[in-house]
Amino acid sequence: MSFVNSASVANLVIDVSMSHRQFQQYKENIETHDKHENLTVGTKQVADDNGNTVDQPV
């Protein structure tokens, strides 16, 4: 998987636009939930405060 900076080069584009009239009609039923996930895909070598090399999750 890779992310792109332009819709013109994306292989999937999802349009979630809504007109003001549609929003007014459905705003009473809109619920939002924030979801967060911490993922570690590897580590990198960094120096700690004492100058020791340690692994840091990335």
Side-chain angles (χ1 to χ4, degrees), residues 4-58:
V4 296
N5 294 323
S6 170
S8 64
V9 294
N11 60 1
L12 174 65
V13 177
I14 300 172
D15 183 359
V16 292
S17 61
M18 179 181 284
S19 72
H20 181 70
R21 183 175 172 188
Q22 289 170 317
F23 179 73
Q24 291 293 347
Q25 181 180 358
Y26 295 108
K27 73 178 181 180
E28 302 282 327
N29 300 321
I30 294 175
E31 291 183 31
T32 59
H33 303 280
D34 292 334
K35 297 185 188 309
H36 302 278
E37 197 171 332
N38 292 328
L39 300 175
T40 301
V41 295
T43 59
K44 66 178 180 177
Q45 297 275 318
V46 296
D48 66 10
D49 294 337
N50 299 322
N52 301 314
T53 302
V54 295
D55 288 333
Q56 180 183 47
V58 290

